[in-house]
Every structure is written in structure tokens, then in C-alpha cells.
Amino acid sequence: MNNSLKIIAMIPARYEASRFPGKLLKDLNGKTVITRTYEAAKSTGLFDEVYVVTDSDEIFAEINKNGGKAIKSKKEHECGSDRIAEAVQDMDVDIVVNVQGDEPFIDKESLEKLLLVFREDDASSIDLASLKSALSESEEITNPNNVKVITNKNDFAMYFSRFPIPYPRNTNAAVTYFKHIGIYAFRKQALVDFYNLPMLSLESAEKIEAIRFLEYGKNIKMVETQMQTIGIDTPEDLEKAKQVLNN
């Protein structure tokens, strides 16, 4: 990557998860989920440093035990971006990539494309970048767990919603629906600003943290990917992940 930019990865890791408590410390074919995610991020070779940021003594100990770098959050946080922002405030870095702790299968190619935007002609106008992938099935488009994103002609995000956007008033319009994949590459300043700005009504209504950036006028560059994420949100997801590793 561009050697003039210091790029780090941060993996926010909560022990409590409403649907699957303690999932990050579950065994995934001989290693915990969080250890596999950490090692996958390291192995991409894209980052100057990789850290796990956690509120949990157990996760902190697990990462240290396996030779990784962990940072203990000082306080409670609403979302992963807040947890990361607290950790990077005093670090000398340019770009911070957030990697989901429950997604141990990291797609290096997608991360490379994400980081590439900070070397393109419009880089100076980008506060952060994130990923999107096309949706084709109507149940995927209408599923509120899939956050949809619409962009302008230059691929900057205009809005994110759990509702299908745009609304198909004209059913003949050639529209592709896109799912937002919650991996971000932030300029450090955008992340610190996010941490210090209060949540506004649109973010509160949709429960989508990316909206806070838009509400405060930040520019989010969206990068299309074919990446299929395997997030571990349930015990069934963990079994699927074990099968993927076995294959």
C-alpha cells in the first residue's frame, strides 16, 4: 500500500452479544473466533498494525495469550466506531480500517480496493470509505437486517436504510439494490469527529451508525465488491463457518 499513509486495522470486540453471547470466544476448529479474525487481518499484509479493542478481560487475555495486540476500552460504547475512536485518539495514524470481530473470513481483495480510494484523484474529498454488494433476491432487498445504500454518480453515499431504497414507484426503472457491508476505512479525523458528535434523529431511527457521518456532512465513498461475508451471529452461523474451514 501507499507507504506515505500509516494504515492500521482495529477489530472492535464486545463479549456481550444479544443473539449469541460470548460468540467471539467460541471454538472455531481449534482457535477462537476472535483469534481467527485477528490472524486473518494480520495475514493480509495490508496494515502497519492490527489491534483488538475490547471491553472484555477474557477477550483481552485471549489475544495477548496468542501474541496479538489488544487494547482495553475505558468506557461503555454504543457502537464499534465509538470503541475504535476512543482507542485511536492519541495514535499517530492516517487511515483506520474497522474489521468486524465476528467475520473471520477476510477478503483481502476487497480491503485492497477499499484502501485504494485514498490514492485516487478525489481522495482529498473522502472522509471515509466503505463496501457495498449488489442484492438480487427480493427477500434480501426487503430484509431489514440488510442495510441498503444509495450513491450518487461518483459513488458517494447519499443515504442508508433498512427499508428498500429507492422505492420502486416505477417498476420498470433499471435499479440495482445494494447492501452495505459494514467494513470502513476512516481518515483518523473523521473517526475522532464521529466520536465527539452526538447521535441525531435519523441515525437514532434507523440504528445505522453510517448515517451519523452523512448527517454531519461527511463524504463516504462506496466501493462495490462481490465479497460474501460470513458473520457469526448465531450458533448455526458458527457451524457454517466450521464447514467452510473444513472445506
Side-chain angles (χ1 to χ4, degrees):
M1 286 311 299
N2 185 347
N3 292 331
S4 65
L5 290 174
K6 183 164 186 193
I7 301 170
I8 65 168
M10 286 276 185
I11 306 171
R14 286 175 65 236
Y15 183 80
E16 290 304 327
S18 53
R19 284 185 287 180
F20 191 11
K23 65 183 182 181
L24 297 182
L25 291 176
K26 298 293 185 195
D27 178 76
L28 179 51
N29 292 19
K31 295 181 180 178
T32 60
V33 171
I34 190 64
T35 296
R36 287 207 177 271
T37 303
Y38 181 88
E39 290 178 353
K42 285 282 283 187
S43 71
T44 65
L46 296 174
F47 307 112
D48 293 302
E49 293 286 359
V50 178
Y51 300 92
V52 170
V53 194
T54 185
D55 58 355
S56 157
D57 290 331
E58 293 95 330
I59 292 173
F60 184 84
E62 166 70 11
I63 294 300
N64 281 324
K65 181 183 81 181
N66 287 289
K69 294 187 176 180
I71 299 169
K72 194 82 194 303
S73 295
K74 294 185 179 70
K75 46 188 194 218
E76 284 294 306
H77 294 291
E78 285 281 315
C79 63
S81 295
D82 279 337
R83 192 181 303 285
I84 294 170
E86 180 207 283
V88 302
Q89 280 192 99
D90 299 320
M91 288 186 178
D92 178 24
V93 298
D94 298 299
I95 306 293
V96 182
V97 176
N98 90 318
V99 174
Q100 303 292 342
D102 60 1
E103 293 186 0
F105 304 102
I106 290 171
D107 181 42
K108 180 178 177 177
E109 189 182 334
S110 295
L111 290 178
E112 283 178 316
K113 284 169 75 176
L114 186 66
L115 290 169
L116 198 59
V117 303
F118 295 102
R119 298 196 297 185
E120 290 174 349
D121 293 343
D122 60 356
S124 61
S125 64
I126 299 171
D127 295 300
L128 61 151
S130 195
L131 296 171
K132 65 176 185 175
S133 64
L135 292 172
S136 54
E137 305 294 327
S138 65
E139 60 267 28
E140 289 192 325
I141 294 166
T142 55
N143 183 349
N145 292 323
N146 287 335
V147 172
K148 273 67 70 176
V149 59
I150 47 173
T151 58
N152 67 15
K153 66 183 177 59
N154 296 318
D155 291 319
F156 283 96
M158 295 165 67
Y159 194 60
F160 299 86
S161 183
R162 297 182 182 281
F163 196 76
I165 49 174
Y167 175 77
R169 173 77 186 268
N170 174 7
T171 53
N172 296 319
V175 168
T176 302
Y177 287 85
F178 286 97
K179 172 186 176 177
H180 178 218
I181 295 173
I183 295 174
Y184 300 90
F186 304 95
R187 289 196 189 278
K188 181 190 168 182
Q189 191 57 53
L191 190 54
V192 172
D193 288 348
F194 175 90
Y195 185 48
N196 292 315
L197 293 167
M199 185 187 296
L200 298 178
S201 59
L202 294 177
E203 179 191 1
S204 180
E206 292 257 21
K207 286 284 181 273
I208 300 169
E209 61 188 85
I211 292 174
R212 192 183 315 178
F213 291 100
L214 297 181
E215 287 187 278
Y216 285 103
K218 301 285 189 195
N219 293 320
I220 308 176
K221 184 82 165 183
M222 299 302 299
V223 177
E224 187 175 351
T225 176
Q226 272 68 55
M227 161 185 180
Q228 296 298 317
T229 56
I230 300 181
I232 296 174
D233 291 316
T234 64
E236 292 74 38
D237 292 336
L238 183 62
E239 291 310 311
K240 274 187 215 157
K242 288 178 179 175
Q243 287 167 12
V244 169
L245 279 178
N246 287 337
N247 294 336

